[in-house]
Amino acid sequence: KKNEQGIYQRRYVCTVPHTFMYYFDSDTSEAPRGIIDLELLTQITNEDIELNLSTPLEDKFRTFHFESEEGEDLNDWVLSLMRDRYSIVSEERNAYQQMMSEMSDSATHQRMELEKEKKKVEVELSQCTRLKEEAMGLLRNTLVVIGITEEEMKQLTDMNKLGKAVSAGILKMKSHLDKKYEDAVEVPLPI
């Protein structure tokens, strides 16, 4: 790896199938000397026996320079970095596509369920409207039978007034029936 003074230092590099590349002082080092986040990798170039990796660093790009003793090793590194990076991106893309597909399927299912529920509510509303109209017709007929006129019905806007009108109508009807009964009783039967 080339340091900031432009001098190459021997480093041993290890890539693993995730987004970090570790470099070590020696092949026996236990802790890495540094880590390069391949998630931020923007460019990989291979010039002769030098590998350049660029990553953004506070609005600037930092370039890491690696040199190999053999050009074939360097090509293997470039292929490995590109394959691992592509593999990660591919896995992320596939996971994202799967998630989007599942969300789309779920949304479609929910939309279908909502449409079914909407139709069910519309049928129930239609039935309620029909039943209300039938009940209002029966109530209107009943009010006519007990002697409440159409004009009086128009004035009955709340339940208290309606209740009083029905009670008055029933009393009026009872009084009328009582009178008819009395008249019928007073008529002498022919013998």
Side-chain angles (χ1 to χ4, degrees):
K1 176 183 173 286
K2 189 189 282 187
N3 66 15
E4 293 172 2
Q5 289 77 31
I7 301 169
Y8 278 98
Q9 301 169 314
R10 183 172 292 275
R11 297 288 185 251
Y12 296 84
V13 180
C14 172
T15 60
V16 290
H18 57 74
T19 63
F20 297 112
M21 182 174 87
Y22 303 94
Y23 56 92
F24 299 83
D25 285 327
S26 71
D27 61 350
T28 59
S29 297
E30 299 229 356
R33 169 83 177 183
I35 301 171
I36 299 172
D37 187 351
L38 298 177
E39 182 74 27
L40 303 174
L41 194 62
T42 58
Q43 184 178 6
I44 300 174
T45 58
N46 180 359
E47 300 170 8
D48 294 326
I49 56 171
E50 187 173 289
L51 169 65
N52 299 312
L53 306 174
S54 297
T55 60
L57 178 67
E58 296 179 17
D59 298 330
K60 297 179 184 176
F61 284 91
R62 178 173 179 194
T63 301
F64 297 89
H65 302 275
F66 290 89
E67 183 180 60
S68 176
E69 293 173 358
E70 295 182 29
E72 190 61 35
D73 287 344
L74 193 61
N75 286 335
D76 290 344
W77 276 105
V78 170
L79 291 173
S80 175
L81 288 171
M82 293 175 107
R83 180 186 62 243
D84 288 348
R85 180 69 184 120
Y86 174 76
S87 172
I88 292 164
V89 170
S90 176
E91 288 171 8
E92 288 173 354
R93 184 193 68 231
N94 291 343
Y96 177 75
Q97 287 174 339
Q98 177 68 27
M99 180 186 71
M100 292 304 292
S101 175
E102 289 171 1
M103 287 176 66
S104 176
D105 292 347
S106 176
T108 299
H109 177 72
Q110 288 177 351
R111 187 173 33 255
M112 290 171 60
E113 290 298 316
L114 285 173
E115 284 295 323
K116 286 180 190 174
E117 192 63 30
K118 179 182 174 189
K119 287 179 182 178
K120 182 179 172 184
V121 168
E122 287 172 349
V123 166
E124 289 174 357
L125 180 62
S126 174
Q127 290 172 342
C128 286
T129 302
R130 184 181 50 77
L131 291 173
K132 175 188 162 207
E133 289 170 1
E134 287 176 13
M136 291 304 290
L138 289 172
L139 179 60
R140 195 172 291 112
N141 291 341
T142 303
L143 293 174
V144 167
V145 166
I146 61 174
I148 297 176
T149 66
E150 285 289 328
E151 192 59 40
E152 290 173 317
M153 283 185 224
K154 289 178 186 175
Q155 295 174 6
L156 301 175
T157 56
D158 68 37
M159 293 307 288
N160 285 336
K161 288 181 182 178
L162 179 61
K164 288 177 184 177
V166 168
S167 293
I170 291 172
L171 289 174
K172 190 170 148 186
M173 190 174 176
K174 182 179 182 298
S175 172
H176 179 73
L177 289 174
D178 286 346
K179 174 127 175 59
K180 281 194 169 201
Y181 176 75
E182 288 173 12
D183 290 346
V185 171
E186 288 180 8
V187 175
L189 294 171
I191 305 191

